[in-house]
Amino acid sequence: MKNSNPFLSIVVPCYNEEDVIDVFLNKIFSVLAYTGEDFEIVFVNDGSRDSTLSVLKEKSKEYDNVRVINLSRNFGKEAALTAGIDASKGEVVVPIDVDLQDPPELILDFIKKYKEGYDVVVGKRVDRTTDSVAKRISAEFFYKIHNKISDIEIPHNVGDYRLMSRRVVEELKKLPESQRFMKGLFAWLGFKTAVVEYKRDARIAGDSSFNGWKLWNFALDGITSFSTAPLRVWLYIGLGLAFISFIYGSWIILKTLLFGADTPGYASMITVVLFLGGIQLMGIGILGEYIGRIYVESKNRPIYIVEDEY
């Protein structure tokens, strides 16, 4: 099986997931048995610090249709997901998290939609009560902001859990950027898409490696990858401030001509200077974010490095 081309490839990025691999495999095997199709499971060990790699190596020996891609270090989930998709051989590919928050049973619906003629079938979360309130609010805010200022619209509450046909995967592999925001890249590809709704469950074990800071940076990557609006907005802010300054300056001149010289106030001057300084620093920061991305992309480094395959 490891050298053949199955119908279905399940791609599973892993980072410190030693506690859930057995449960995941038991669940996914029981579900995939109903498909009646041959399949492979491609685990990607993304530089785990626990015994995830050892567990996966044992599973690859135990099961002929389990493959393991071991990256040379932790490159992040987007890179690990890319590595798994690149290594997949199936006619259709389904990325899924190992924590079973996304129900594997949905794969049966995905395949049914694929056989109806859809190249992409996405899972949409209609119930996120297992996520914290802060995460739900920030996710909703992100989707609204991103879709408002970007050319590419990301479907609300749709993650990486989806089915893609082989021709979609081949087009995805042509996209060369090293700083990858996969949800945006998936949406950018297009193709005929179906939506399957589901309720997201809690993790079966372990803790998520995504904290608030990582989610914030993830959101920044998403916005700066698909929109130049944060750069363009400073043109309008500059025009607005210049107009206000012109009106205020004109008023001071007129007031001086009519009523004589006025004693300037240091407090108001410092306030204006600090305000303009803050505005300029924010603009420089956003400009730096884009320049940083250009700098990283110009190095043309690989997205990931595979150390071993099992």
Coordinates of all heavy atoms in Angstrom, one line a residue, residues 80-160:
A80 N 3.4 21.8 8.0 CA 3.2 20.4 8.2 C 2.0 19.9 7.3 O 2.1 18.8 6.7 CB 2.9 20.1 9.6
L81 N 1.0 20.7 7.2 CA -0.2 20.4 6.4 C 0.3 20.3 4.9 O -0.1 19.4 4.2 CB -1.3 21.4 6.6 CG -2.6 21.2 6.0 CD1 -3.2 19.8 6.4 CD2 -3.6 22.3 6.3
T82 N 1.1 21.3 4.5 CA 1.6 21.3 3.2 C 2.4 20.1 2.9 O 2.3 19.5 1.8 CB 2.4 22.6 2.9 OG1 1.6 23.7 3.2 CG2 3.0 22.6 1.5
A83 N 3.3 19.7 3.8 CA 4.1 18.5 3.6 C 3.2 17.2 3.4 O 3.5 16.4 2.6 CB 5.0 18.3 4.8
G84 N 2.2 17.1 4.2 CA 1.3 16.0 4.1 C 0.6 15.9 2.8 O 0.4 14.9 2.2
I85 N 0.1 17.1 2.4 CA -0.7 17.2 1.1 C 0.3 16.9 -0.1 O -0.1 16.1 -1.0 CB -1.3 18.5 1.0 CG1 -2.5 18.7 2.0 CG2 -1.9 18.7 -0.5 CD1 -3.0 20.1 2.0
D86 N 1.5 17.4 0.0 CA 2.5 17.1 -1.1 C 2.8 15.6 -1.1 O 3.1 15.1 -2.2 CB 3.8 17.9 -0.8 CG 3.6 19.4 -1.0 OD1 2.6 19.8 -1.6 OD2 4.5 20.1 -0.6
A87 N 2.8 14.9 0.0 CA 3.2 13.5 0.0 C 2.0 12.6 -0.3 O 2.2 11.4 -0.5 CB 3.8 13.2 1.4
S88 N 0.8 13.1 -0.3 CA -0.3 12.3 -0.5 C -0.4 11.7 -1.9 O 0.1 12.4 -2.8 CB -1.6 13.1 -0.2 OG -1.8 14.1 -1.1
K89 N -1.0 10.5 -2.0 CA -1.1 9.9 -3.3 C -2.5 9.6 -3.8 O -2.7 9.1 -4.9 CB -0.3 8.5 -3.3 CG 1.1 8.6 -2.9 CD 1.8 7.3 -2.8 CE 3.2 7.3 -2.4 NZ 3.8 6.0 -2.2
G90 N -3.4 9.9 -2.9 CA -4.8 9.5 -3.2 C -5.5 10.4 -4.3 O -5.1 11.5 -4.6
E91 N -6.6 9.8 -4.8 CA -7.4 10.5 -5.8 C -8.1 11.7 -5.1 O -8.3 12.7 -5.7 CB -8.5 9.5 -6.3 CG -9.4 10.1 -7.3 CD -10.5 9.1 -7.8 OE1 -10.1 7.9 -8.0 OE2 -11.6 9.5 -8.1
V92 N -8.4 11.5 -3.8 CA -9.0 12.6 -3.0 C -8.2 12.7 -1.7 O -7.6 11.7 -1.3 CB -10.5 12.5 -2.7 CG1 -11.3 12.5 -4.0 CG2 -10.7 11.2 -1.9
V93 N -8.1 13.9 -1.2 CA -7.2 14.2 0.0 C -8.1 14.9 1.1 O -8.8 15.8 0.7 CB -6.0 15.0 -0.3 CG1 -5.2 15.3 0.9 CG2 -5.2 14.3 -1.4
V94 N -8.0 14.4 2.3 CA -8.8 15.0 3.4 C -7.8 15.3 4.5 O -7.3 14.4 5.2 CB -9.9 14.0 3.9 CG1 -10.6 14.6 5.1 CG2 -10.9 13.7 2.8
P95 N -7.5 16.6 4.8 CA -6.7 16.9 6.0 C -7.6 16.9 7.2 O -8.8 17.4 7.2 CB -6.3 18.4 5.7 CG -6.7 18.7 4.3 CD -7.8 17.8 4.0
I96 N -7.1 16.4 8.3 CA -7.9 16.4 9.6 C -7.0 16.5 10.7 O -5.8 16.0 10.7 CB -8.8 15.1 9.6 CG1 -9.7 15.1 10.8 CG2 -7.9 13.8 9.6 CD1 -10.7 13.9 10.9
D97 N -7.4 17.1 11.8 CA -6.6 17.2 13.0 C -6.7 15.8 13.8 O -7.8 15.2 13.8 CB -7.1 18.3 13.9 CG -6.8 19.7 13.3 OD1 -5.9 19.7 12.4 OD2 -7.4 20.7 13.7
V98 N -5.7 15.5 14.5 CA -5.6 14.2 15.2 C -6.5 14.2 16.5 O -6.8 13.2 17.1 CB -4.2 13.9 15.5 CG1 -3.6 14.7 16.6 CG2 -4.0 12.4 15.9
D99 N -6.9 15.4 17.0 CA -7.6 15.5 18.2 C -9.0 15.2 18.2 O -9.8 15.2 19.2 CB -7.4 17.0 18.8 CG -8.0 18.0 17.9 OD1 -8.7 17.7 16.9 OD2 -7.6 19.2 18.0
L100 N -9.5 14.8 17.0 CA -10.9 14.3 16.7 C -12.0 15.4 17.1 O -13.1 15.0 17.3 CB -11.2 13.1 17.5 CG -10.5 11.8 17.0 CD1 -10.8 10.6 17.9 CD2 -10.8 11.5 15.5
Q101 N -11.6 16.7 17.1 CA -12.6 17.7 17.2 C -13.5 17.7 16.0 O -14.7 18.1 16.1 CB -12.0 19.1 17.5 CG -11.5 19.3 18.9 CD -11.1 20.7 19.1 OE1 -10.0 21.2 18.7 NE2 -12.0 21.5 19.7
D102 N -12.9 17.4 14.9 CA -13.7 17.3 13.6 C -14.1 15.8 13.4 O -13.2 15.0 13.3 CB -12.9 17.8 12.4 CG -12.4 19.2 12.6 OD1 -13.3 20.0 13.1 OD2 -11.3 19.5 12.3
P103 N -15.4 15.5 13.4 CA -15.8 14.1 13.4 C -15.4 13.4 12.1 O -15.8 13.8 11.0 CB -17.3 14.2 13.5 CG -17.7 15.6 13.1 CD -16.5 16.4 13.4
P104 N -14.7 12.3 12.2 CA -14.3 11.5 11.0 C -15.5 11.0 10.2 O -15.4 10.8 9.0 CB -13.5 10.4 11.5 CG -13.0 10.8 12.8 CD -14.1 11.7 13.4
E105 N -16.7 10.8 10.9 CA -17.8 10.3 10.1 C -18.2 11.2 9.0 O -18.8 10.8 8.0 CB -19.0 10.3 11.1 CG -18.9 9.2 12.2 CD -18.1 9.6 13.4 OE1 -17.6 10.8 13.3 OE2 -18.0 8.9 14.4
L106 N -17.8 12.5 9.0 CA -18.1 13.4 8.0 C -17.5 13.1 6.6 O -17.9 13.5 5.6 CB -17.7 14.8 8.4 CG -18.6 16.0 8.1 CD1 -19.9 15.8 8.8 CD2 -18.0 17.3 8.5
I107 N -16.4 12.3 6.7 CA -15.7 11.9 5.5 C -16.6 11.1 4.6 O -16.5 11.2 3.3 CB -14.4 11.0 5.9 CG1 -13.4 11.9 6.6 CG2 -13.8 10.5 4.6 CD1 -12.3 11.1 7.2
L108 N -17.5 10.4 5.1 CA -18.5 9.6 4.3 C -19.3 10.6 3.5 O -19.6 10.3 2.3 CB -19.4 8.7 5.2 CG -18.6 7.7 6.1 CD1 -19.6 7.0 7.0 CD2 -17.8 6.8 5.2
D109 N -19.8 11.7 4.1 CA -20.5 12.7 3.4 C -19.7 13.4 2.4 O -20.1 13.8 1.3 CB -21.1 13.7 4.4 CG -22.1 13.1 5.3 OD1 -22.9 12.2 4.9 OD2 -22.1 13.4 6.5
F110 N -18.4 13.6 2.7 CA -17.5 14.3 1.8 C -17.4 13.5 0.5 O -17.4 14.0 -0.6 CB -16.1 14.4 2.4 CG -15.9 15.5 3.5 CD1 -14.8 15.6 4.2 CD2 -17.0 16.3 3.8 CE1 -14.6 16.6 5.1 CE2 -16.9 17.3 4.7 CZ -15.7 17.4 5.4
I111 N -17.2 12.2 0.7 CA -17.0 11.3 -0.5 C -18.3 11.2 -1.3 O -18.2 11.2 -2.6 CB -16.6 9.9 0.0 CG1 -15.2 9.9 0.6 CG2 -16.6 8.9 -1.2 CD1 -14.7 8.6 1.2
K112 N -19.4 11.2 -0.7 CA -20.7 11.2 -1.4 C -20.8 12.5 -2.3 O -21.2 12.4 -3.4 CB -21.8 11.2 -0.4 CG -23.2 11.0 -1.0 CD -24.3 11.0 0.1 CE -25.7 11.0 -0.6 NZ -26.7 11.0 0.5
K113 N -20.4 13.6 -1.7 CA -20.5 14.9 -2.5 C -19.5 14.8 -3.6 O -19.8 15.3 -4.7 CB -20.2 16.1 -1.6 CG -21.4 16.4 -0.6 CD -22.6 16.9 -1.3 CE -23.7 17.3 -0.4 NZ -24.9 17.7 -1.1
Y114 N -18.3 14.3 -3.4 CA -17.3 14.2 -4.4 C -17.8 13.4 -5.6 O -17.6 13.8 -6.8 CB -16.0 13.6 -3.8 CG -15.0 13.2 -4.9 CD1 -14.3 14.1 -5.6 CD2 -14.8 11.8 -5.2 CE1 -13.4 13.8 -6.6 CE2 -13.9 11.5 -6.2 CZ -13.2 12.4 -6.9 OH -12.3 12.1 -7.8
K115 N -18.4 12.3 -5.3 CA -19.0 11.4 -6.3 C -20.1 12.1 -7.1 O -20.5 11.6 -8.2 CB -19.3 10.1 -5.8 CG -18.1 9.3 -5.3 CD -18.4 7.9 -4.8 CE -17.2 7.1 -4.5 NZ -17.4 5.8 -3.9
E116 N -20.7 13.1 -6.5 CA -21.8 13.9 -7.1 C -21.2 14.9 -8.1 O -21.9 15.6 -8.8 CB -22.7 14.6 -6.1 CG -23.5 13.6 -5.3 CD -24.3 14.3 -4.2 OE1 -24.3 15.6 -4.1 OE2 -25.0 13.6 -3.5
G117 N -19.9 15.1 -8.0 CA -19.2 16.0 -9.0 C -18.5 17.2 -8.4 O -18.1 18.0 -9.2
Y118 N -18.4 17.3 -7.1 CA -17.7 18.4 -6.5 C -16.2 18.1 -6.3 O -15.9 17.0 -5.9 CB -18.4 18.7 -5.1 CG -19.8 19.2 -5.2 CD1 -20.9 18.4 -5.0 CD2 -20.0 20.6 -5.4 CE1 -22.2 18.8 -5.1 CE2 -21.3 21.1 -5.4 CZ -22.4 20.2 -5.3 OH -23.7 20.7 -5.4
D119 N -15.4 19.1 -6.6 CA -14.0 19.0 -6.4 C -13.6 19.3 -5.0 O -12.5 18.9 -4.6 CB -13.3 19.9 -7.4 CG -13.1 19.3 -8.8 OD1 -12.5 18.3 -8.9 OD2 -13.7 19.9 -9.7
V120 N -14.3 20.1 -4.4 CA -14.0 20.5 -3.0 C -15.3 20.4 -2.1 O -16.4 20.8 -2.5 CB -13.5 22.0 -2.9 CG1 -13.2 22.4 -1.4 CG2 -12.3 22.2 -3.7
V121 N -15.1 19.7 -1.0 CA -16.2 19.6 0.0 C -15.7 20.1 1.3 O -14.7 19.5 1.9 CB -16.7 18.2 0.1 CG1 -18.0 18.1 1.0 CG2 -17.0 17.6 -1.3
V122 N -16.3 21.1 1.9 CA -15.8 21.7 3.1 C -16.7 21.4 4.3 O -17.9 21.3 4.1 CB -15.6 23.3 3.0 CG1 -14.6 23.6 1.9 CG2 -16.9 23.9 2.7
G123 N -16.1 21.3 5.4 CA -16.9 21.1 6.7 C -17.1 22.4 7.4 O -16.1 23.1 7.6
K124 N -18.3 22.8 7.6 CA -18.6 24.1 8.2 C -19.1 23.8 9.7 O -20.1 23.1 9.9 CB -19.7 24.8 7.4 CG -20.0 26.2 8.0 CD -21.0 27.0 7.2 CE -21.3 28.3 7.8 NZ -22.2 29.1 7.0
R125 N -18.5 24.5 10.6 CA -18.9 24.3 12.0 C -20.1 25.2 12.4 O -20.0 26.4 12.3 CB -17.7 24.6 12.9 CG -16.5 23.7 12.8 CD -15.2 24.2 13.4 NE -14.7 25.1 12.4 CZ -13.4 25.6 12.5 NH1 -12.6 25.1 13.5 NH2 -12.9 26.5 11.7
V126 N -21.2 24.6 12.7 CA -22.4 25.4 13.0 C -22.6 25.5 14.5 O -23.4 26.2 15.0 CB -23.6 24.7 12.4 CG1 -23.6 24.8 10.9 CG2 -23.8 23.3 12.8
D127 N -21.8 24.7 15.3 CA -21.8 24.8 16.7 C -20.4 24.8 17.3 O -19.7 23.8 17.2 CB -22.7 23.6 17.3 CG -22.9 23.8 18.8 OD1 -22.1 24.5 19.4 OD2 -23.8 23.1 19.3
R128 N -20.0 25.9 17.9 CA -18.6 26.0 18.4 C -18.6 26.2 19.9 O -17.8 26.9 20.5 CB -17.8 27.1 17.7 CG -17.7 27.0 16.3 CD -16.8 28.0 15.7 NE -15.5 28.0 16.2 CZ -14.4 28.5 15.6 NH1 -14.6 29.0 14.4 NH2 -13.3 28.4 16.1
T129 N -19.6 25.6 20.6 CA -19.7 25.8 22.0 C -18.6 25.2 22.8 O -18.4 25.5 24.0 CB -21.1 25.2 22.5 OG1 -21.2 23.9 22.1 CG2 -22.3 26.0 22.0
T130 N -17.9 24.3 22.2 CA -16.7 23.7 22.8 C -15.5 24.6 22.9 O -14.6 24.4 23.6 CB -16.3 22.4 22.2 OG1 -16.1 22.6 20.8 CG2 -17.4 21.3 22.3
D131 N -15.5 25.6 22.0 CA -14.5 26.7 22.0 C -14.8 27.7 23.1 O -16.0 27.9 23.5 CB -14.4 27.4 20.7 CG -13.9 26.4 19.6 OD1 -13.2 25.5 19.9 OD2 -14.2 26.7 18.4
S132 N -13.8 28.4 23.6 CA -14.0 29.4 24.6 C -14.7 30.6 24.0 O -14.8 30.8 22.8 CB -12.7 29.9 25.2 OG -11.9 30.5 24.2
V133 N -15.4 31.4 24.9 CA -16.1 32.6 24.4 C -15.2 33.5 23.6 O -15.5 34.1 22.6 CB -16.8 33.3 25.5 CG1 -17.4 34.6 25.0 CG2 -17.8 32.4 26.2
A134 N -14.0 33.7 24.2 CA -13.0 34.6 23.6 C -12.6 34.1 22.2 O -12.5 34.9 21.3 CB -11.8 34.7 24.5
K135 N -12.4 32.8 22.1 CA -12.0 32.3 20.8 C -13.2 32.4 19.7 O -12.9 32.7 18.6 CB -11.6 30.8 20.9 CG -11.0 30.2 19.7 CD -10.5 28.8 19.9 CE -9.8 28.3 18.6 NZ -9.3 26.9 18.9
R136 N -14.4 32.2 20.2 CA -15.5 32.3 19.2 C -15.7 33.8 18.8 O -15.9 34.1 17.6 CB -16.8 31.9 19.9 CG -16.9 30.4 20.2 CD -18.3 29.9 20.4 NE -19.0 30.6 21.4 CZ -19.0 30.1 22.7 NH1 -18.4 29.0 23.0 NH2 -19.7 30.8 23.6
I137 N -15.5 34.7 19.7 CA -15.7 36.2 19.4 C -14.6 36.6 18.4 O -14.8 37.3 17.4 CB -15.7 37.0 20.6 CG1 -17.0 36.7 21.4 CG2 -15.7 38.5 20.3 CD1 -17.1 37.4 22.7
S138 N -13.3 36.2 18.8 CA -12.2 36.6 18.0 C -12.3 36.0 16.6 O -11.9 36.6 15.6 CB -10.9 36.2 18.7 OG -10.8 34.9 18.9
A139 N -12.7 34.7 16.5 CA -12.9 34.1 15.2 C -13.9 34.8 14.3 O -13.7 35.1 13.1 CB -13.2 32.6 15.4
E140 N -15.0 35.2 14.9 CA -16.1 35.9 14.2 C -15.6 37.2 13.7 O -15.8 37.6 12.6 CB -17.3 36.0 15.1 CG -18.5 36.6 14.5 CD -19.1 35.7 13.4 OE1 -18.9 34.5 13.5 OE2 -19.8 36.3 12.5
F141 N -14.9 37.9 14.6 CA -14.3 39.2 14.3 C -13.3 39.1 13.1 O -13.3 39.9 12.2 CB -13.6 39.8 15.5 CG -13.1 41.2 15.3 CD1 -14.0 42.3 15.2 CD2 -11.8 41.5 15.3 CE1 -13.6 43.6 15.0 CE2 -11.3 42.8 15.1 CZ -12.2 43.8 15.0
F142 N -12.5 38.1 13.2 CA -11.5 37.9 12.1 C -12.1 37.6 10.8 O -11.7 38.2 9.8 CB -10.6 36.7 12.5 CG -9.7 36.2 11.3 CD1 -8.6 36.9 10.9 CD2 -10.1 35.0 10.6 CE1 -7.9 36.5 9.8 CE2 -9.3 34.6 9.5 CZ -8.2 35.4 9.1
Y143 N -13.1 36.7 10.7 CA -13.7 36.4 9.5 C -14.4 37.7 8.9 O -14.3 37.9 7.7 CB -14.8 35.4 9.6 CG -14.3 34.0 9.8 CD1 -14.5 33.2 10.9 CD2 -13.6 33.4 8.7 CE1 -14.0 31.9 11.0 CE2 -13.1 32.1 8.8 CZ -13.3 31.4 10.0 OH -12.8 30.1 10.1
K144 N -15.0 38.5 9.7 CA -15.7 39.7 9.2 C -14.6 40.7 8.7 O -14.8 41.3 7.6 CB -16.5 40.4 10.3 CG -17.8 39.6 10.6 CD -18.6 40.4 11.6 CE -19.9 39.7 11.9 NZ -20.8 40.3 12.9
I145 N -13.6 40.9 9.4 CA -12.5 41.9 9.0 C -11.9 41.4 7.7 O -11.7 42.1 6.7 CB -11.5 42.1 10.1 CG1 -12.1 42.8 11.3 CG2 -10.3 42.9 9.6 CD1 -12.6 44.2 11.0
H146 N -11.4 40.1 7.7 CA -10.7 39.6 6.6 C -11.6 39.6 5.3 O -11.1 40.1 4.3 CB -10.4 38.1 6.9 CG -9.5 37.5 5.8 ND1 -10.1 37.0 4.6 CD2 -8.2 37.3 5.7 CE1 -9.1 36.5 3.8 NE2 -8.0 36.7 4.4
N147 N -12.8 39.2 5.4 CA -13.6 39.2 4.2 C -14.0 40.6 3.7 O -14.4 40.8 2.6 CB -14.9 38.3 4.4 CG -14.5 36.9 4.6 OD1 -13.5 36.4 4.1 ND2 -15.4 36.1 5.2
K148 N -14.0 41.6 4.7 CA -14.3 42.9 4.3 C -13.2 43.6 3.5 O -13.5 44.4 2.6 CB -14.6 43.7 5.6 CG -15.2 45.1 5.4 CD -16.7 45.0 5.1 CE -17.3 46.3 5.0 NZ -18.8 46.2 4.6
I149 N -12.0 43.3 3.8 CA -10.8 44.0 3.2 C -10.1 43.1 2.2 O -9.1 43.6 1.6 CB -9.9 44.5 4.3 CG1 -9.2 43.4 5.0 CG2 -10.6 45.5 5.2 CD1 -8.2 43.9 6.0
S150 N -10.4 41.9 2.0 CA -9.6 41.0 1.2 C -10.4 40.7 -0.1 O -11.6 40.8 -0.2 CB -9.3 39.7 1.8 OG -8.6 39.9 3.0
D151 N -9.6 40.4 -1.2 CA -10.3 40.0 -2.4 C -10.9 38.6 -2.4 O -11.8 38.3 -3.1 CB -9.3 40.1 -3.6 CG -8.8 41.5 -3.8 OD1 -9.5 42.5 -3.5 OD2 -7.6 41.7 -4.2
I152 N -10.3 37.8 -1.5 CA -10.7 36.4 -1.4 C -11.6 36.3 -0.1 O -11.1 36.6 1.0 CB -9.5 35.4 -1.3 CG1 -8.7 35.6 -2.5 CG2 -10.0 34.0 -1.1 CD1 -9.4 35.2 -3.8
E153 N -12.8 35.7 -0.3 CA -13.6 35.5 0.9 C -13.5 34.1 1.4 O -13.6 33.1 0.7 CB -15.1 35.7 0.5 CG -16.1 35.6 1.6 CD -17.5 35.9 1.3 OE1 -17.7 36.5 0.2 OE2 -18.4 35.5 2.1
I154 N -13.2 34.1 2.7 CA -13.0 32.8 3.4 C -14.4 32.5 4.1 O -14.9 33.3 4.8 CB -12.0 32.9 4.5 CG1 -10.6 33.2 3.9 CG2 -11.9 31.6 5.3 CD1 -9.5 33.4 4.9
P155 N -15.0 31.3 3.8 CA -16.2 30.9 4.4 C -16.2 31.0 5.9 O -15.2 30.5 6.5 CB -16.5 29.5 3.8 CG -15.6 29.4 2.6 CD -14.4 30.2 2.9
H156 N -17.2 31.5 6.5 CA -17.2 31.5 8.0 C -17.2 30.1 8.6 O -17.9 29.2 8.1 CB -18.5 32.3 8.5 CG -18.4 33.7 8.4 ND1 -18.6 34.6 9.4 CD2 -18.1 34.5 7.3 CE1 -18.4 35.8 9.1 NE2 -18.1 35.8 7.8
N157 N -16.4 30.0 9.6 CA -16.4 28.7 10.4 C -16.0 27.5 9.6 O -16.5 26.4 9.9 CB -17.7 28.5 11.1 CG -17.9 29.6 12.2 OD1 -17.0 30.0 12.9 ND2 -19.2 30.0 12.4
V158 N -15.2 27.7 8.5 CA -14.7 26.6 7.7 C -13.2 26.5 8.0 O -12.5 27.5 7.7 CB -15.0 26.8 6.3 CG1 -14.3 25.8 5.4 CG2 -16.5 26.7 6.0
G159 N -12.7 25.4 8.4 CA -11.3 25.3 8.7 C -10.6 24.5 7.6 O -11.0 24.5 6.4
D160 N -9.6 23.7 8.0 CA -8.8 22.9 7.1 C -9.5 21.6 6.7 O -9.1 20.9 5.8 CB -7.4 22.6 7.6 CG -6.6 23.9 7.9 OD1 -6.8 24.9 7.1 OD2 -5.8 24.0 8.8

